[in-house]
Coordinates of all heavy atoms in Angstrom, one line a residue:
R1 N 12.1 2.7 12.6 CA 10.7 2.8 13.2 C 10.3 4.3 12.9 O 11.1 5.2 13.1 CB 10.8 2.6 14.7 CG 9.6 2.8 15.4 CD 9.8 2.5 17.0 NE 8.6 3.0 17.7 CZ 7.4 2.5 17.8 NH1 7.2 1.3 17.2 NH2 6.5 3.0 18.6
T2 N 9.0 4.4 12.6 CA 8.5 5.7 12.3 C 7.4 6.1 13.3 O 6.5 5.2 13.6 CB 8.0 5.8 10.8 OG1 7.0 4.8 10.7 CG2 9.1 5.5 9.9
S3 N 7.4 7.5 13.6 CA 6.4 7.9 14.6 C 5.9 9.4 14.1 O 6.7 10.0 13.6 CB 6.8 7.9 16.0 OG 7.8 8.7 16.2
L4 N 4.6 9.6 14.5 CA 4.1 10.9 14.4 C 3.7 11.4 15.7 O 2.9 10.7 16.4 CB 2.8 10.9 13.4 CG 3.0 10.5 12.0 CD1 1.6 10.4 11.3 CD2 4.0 11.5 11.3
V5 N 4.2 12.5 16.2 CA 3.9 13.2 17.5 C 3.1 14.4 17.3 O 3.6 15.4 16.8 CB 5.1 13.5 18.3 CG1 4.8 14.0 19.6 CG2 6.1 12.2 18.3
M6 N 1.8 14.3 17.6 CA 0.8 15.3 17.2 C 0.2 15.9 18.5 O -0.8 15.3 19.0 CB -0.3 14.7 16.3 CG 0.2 13.9 15.1 SD 1.3 14.8 14.0 CE 0.1 15.9 13.3
P7 N 0.9 16.9 19.0 CA 0.4 17.3 20.4 C -1.1 18.0 20.5 O -1.6 18.2 21.5 CB 1.4 18.4 20.8 CG 2.0 18.8 19.4 CD 2.0 17.6 18.6
A8 N -1.6 18.3 19.3 CA -3.0 18.8 19.3 C -4.0 17.9 18.7 O -5.1 18.3 18.6 CB -3.1 20.2 18.6
L9 N -3.6 16.7 18.5 CA -4.6 15.6 17.9 C -5.4 15.1 19.0 O -5.0 14.5 19.9 CB -3.8 14.5 17.3 CG -4.6 13.5 16.6 CD1 -5.4 14.0 15.4 CD2 -3.7 12.3 16.1
T10 N -6.8 15.3 18.8 CA -7.7 14.9 19.8 C -8.9 14.0 19.2 O -9.8 13.8 20.0 CB -8.3 16.1 20.6 OG1 -9.0 16.9 19.6 CG2 -7.4 17.0 21.3
R11 N -8.7 13.6 18.1 CA -9.7 12.8 17.3 C -9.1 11.9 16.4 O -7.9 11.9 16.1 CB -10.8 13.7 16.7 CG -10.2 14.8 15.7 CD -11.1 15.6 15.0 NE -10.6 16.7 14.2 CZ -10.1 16.6 13.0 NH1 -9.9 15.3 12.4 NH2 -9.5 17.6 12.4
A12 N -10.0 11.1 15.7 CA -9.5 10.1 14.8 C -8.8 10.9 13.7 O -9.3 11.9 13.2 CB -10.6 9.1 14.4
W13 N -7.8 10.3 13.0 CA -7.0 10.9 12.0 C -6.7 9.8 10.9 O -5.5 9.4 10.9 CB -5.8 11.6 12.5 CG -5.1 12.5 11.5 CD1 -5.6 13.1 10.5 CD2 -3.7 12.6 11.4 NE1 -4.6 13.8 9.7 CE2 -3.4 13.4 10.2 CE3 -2.5 12.1 12.2 CZ2 -2.1 13.7 9.9 CZ3 -1.3 12.4 11.7 CH2 -1.0 13.2 10.6
P14 N -7.6 9.4 10.1 CA -7.4 8.4 9.2 C -6.2 8.8 8.2 O -5.6 7.9 7.6 CB -8.7 8.2 8.5 CG -9.4 9.5 8.7 CD -9.0 9.9 10.0
E15 N -6.0 10.0 7.9 CA -5.0 10.4 6.9 C -3.6 10.0 7.5 O -2.6 10.1 6.6 CB -5.1 11.9 6.7 CG -6.3 12.4 6.1 CD -7.4 12.8 7.0 OE1 -7.3 12.4 8.2 OE2 -8.3 13.5 6.7
A16 N -3.5 9.7 8.6 CA -2.1 9.3 9.3 C -1.6 8.2 8.5 O -0.3 8.1 8.3 CB -2.3 9.1 10.7
D17 N -2.3 7.3 7.9 CA -1.8 6.1 7.2 C -0.9 6.5 6.1 O 0.0 5.7 5.7 CB -2.9 5.1 6.8 CG -3.7 4.5 8.0 OD1 -3.1 4.5 9.1 OD2 -4.8 4.1 7.8
F18 N -1.2 7.6 5.5 CA -0.4 8.0 4.3 C 1.0 8.2 4.7 O 1.9 8.0 3.8 CB -1.0 9.3 3.8 CG -0.2 10.0 2.7 CD1 -0.2 9.4 1.4 CD2 0.4 11.2 2.8 CE1 0.5 10.0 0.4 CE2 1.1 11.9 1.8 CZ 1.2 11.1 0.5
F19 N 1.3 8.6 6.0 CA 2.7 8.9 6.4 C 3.4 7.7 7.0 O 4.4 7.8 7.5 CB 2.7 10.1 7.4 CG 2.1 11.3 6.9 CD1 0.7 11.7 7.1 CD2 2.9 12.2 6.1 CE1 0.2 12.9 6.5 CE2 2.3 13.3 5.4 CZ 1.0 13.7 5.8
A20 N 2.7 6.6 6.9 CA 3.3 5.3 7.3 C 3.9 5.3 8.6 O 5.1 4.8 8.8 CB 4.4 4.9 6.2
P21 N 3.1 5.7 9.7 CA 3.8 5.6 11.1 C 3.6 4.2 11.7 O 2.6 3.5 11.5 CB 2.9 6.7 11.7 CG 1.5 6.5 11.2 CD 1.8 6.2 9.7
D22 N 4.6 3.8 12.4 CA 4.4 2.7 13.3 C 3.5 3.1 14.6 O 2.8 2.2 15.1 CB 5.7 2.1 13.9 CG 6.5 1.5 12.7 OD1 6.0 0.6 12.1 OD2 7.6 1.9 12.4
R23 N 3.6 4.4 15.0 CA 2.8 4.8 16.1 C 2.5 6.3 15.9 O 3.3 7.1 15.4 CB 3.7 4.6 17.4 CG 3.0 5.2 18.6 CD 1.9 4.4 19.1 NE 1.1 5.0 20.2 CZ 1.4 4.8 21.4 NH1 2.3 4.0 21.9 NH2 0.6 5.4 22.3
V24 N 1.2 6.7 16.3 CA 0.8 8.0 16.2 C 0.5 8.4 17.7 O -0.2 7.7 18.4 CB -0.4 8.2 15.4 CG1 -0.9 9.8 15.5 CG2 -0.3 7.9 14.0
Y25 N 1.2 9.4 18.2 CA 1.0 10.0 19.5 C 0.1 11.2 19.5 O 0.5 12.3 18.9 CB 2.4 10.3 20.2 CG 3.2 9.2 20.3 CD1 4.2 8.8 19.3 CD2 3.2 8.4 21.6 CE1 5.0 7.8 19.6 CE2 4.0 7.3 21.7 CZ 5.0 7.0 20.7 OH 5.8 6.0 20.9
G26 N -1.2 11.1 20.0 CA -2.1 12.2 20.0 C -1.9 12.9 21.3 O -1.0 12.6 22.2
A27 N -2.7 13.9 21.6 CA -2.7 14.7 22.8 C -2.7 13.8 24.1 O -1.9 14.1 25.0 CB -3.7 15.8 22.9
E28 N -3.6 12.9 24.1 CA -3.7 12.1 25.3 C -2.6 11.2 25.5 O -2.2 10.9 26.6 CB -5.0 11.2 25.3 CG -6.3 12.0 25.5 CD -6.3 12.7 26.9 OE1 -5.9 11.9 27.9 OE2 -6.6 13.8 27.1
D29 N -1.9 10.7 24.5 CA -0.8 9.8 24.7 C 0.4 10.4 25.2 O 1.3 9.7 25.6 CB -0.5 9.2 23.2 CG -1.6 8.5 22.6 OD1 -2.3 7.7 23.3 OD2 -2.0 8.8 21.4
L30 N 0.5 11.7 25.1 CA 1.7 12.4 25.6 C 1.7 12.6 27.2 O 2.8 12.8 27.7 CB 1.8 13.9 25.0 CG 1.9 14.0 23.5 CD1 2.1 15.4 23.1 CD2 3.0 13.0 23.0
G31 N 0.6 12.3 27.8 CA 0.6 12.3 29.3 C 0.7 13.7 29.9 O 1.1 13.8 31.0
Y32 N 0.3 14.8 29.2 CA 0.5 16.1 29.7 C -0.7 16.4 30.7 O -1.9 16.3 30.2 CB 0.5 17.1 28.5 CG 0.8 18.5 28.9 CD1 1.9 18.9 29.5 CD2 -0.3 19.4 28.8 CE1 2.2 20.2 29.8 CE2 0.0 20.8 29.1 CZ 1.1 21.2 29.7 OH 1.4 22.5 30.0
R33 N -0.4 17.0 31.8 CA -1.4 17.4 32.9 C -1.2 18.7 33.2 O -1.9 19.2 34.3 CB -1.2 16.4 34.0 CG -1.5 15.0 33.7 CD -2.9 14.7 33.2 NE -3.1 13.3 32.9 CZ -3.0 12.8 31.6 NH1 -2.7 13.6 30.6 NH2 -3.2 11.4 31.5
G34 N -0.5 19.6 32.5 CA -0.4 20.9 32.8 C -1.3 21.8 32.1 O -2.2 21.3 31.4

């Protein structure tokens, strides 16, 4: 299983497909509230 965890990603990132991820985690997906 492959994933990209991108803590500063706040917009669409079509280039992610090149890295073949099953899941991309952007800033909102991390659930950070600090």
Side-chain angles (χ1 to χ4, degrees):
R1 173 177 170 80
T2 55
S3 64
L4 297 173
V5 181
M6 312 300 288
L9 182 63
T10 58
R11 53 181 171 77
W13 185 37
E15 296 91 341
D17 291 342
F18 176 68
F19 300 97
D22 289 305
R23 177 68 190 273
V24 177
Y25 296 92
E28 283 298 316
D29 301 313
L30 300 184
Y32 184 66
R33 298 296 178 265

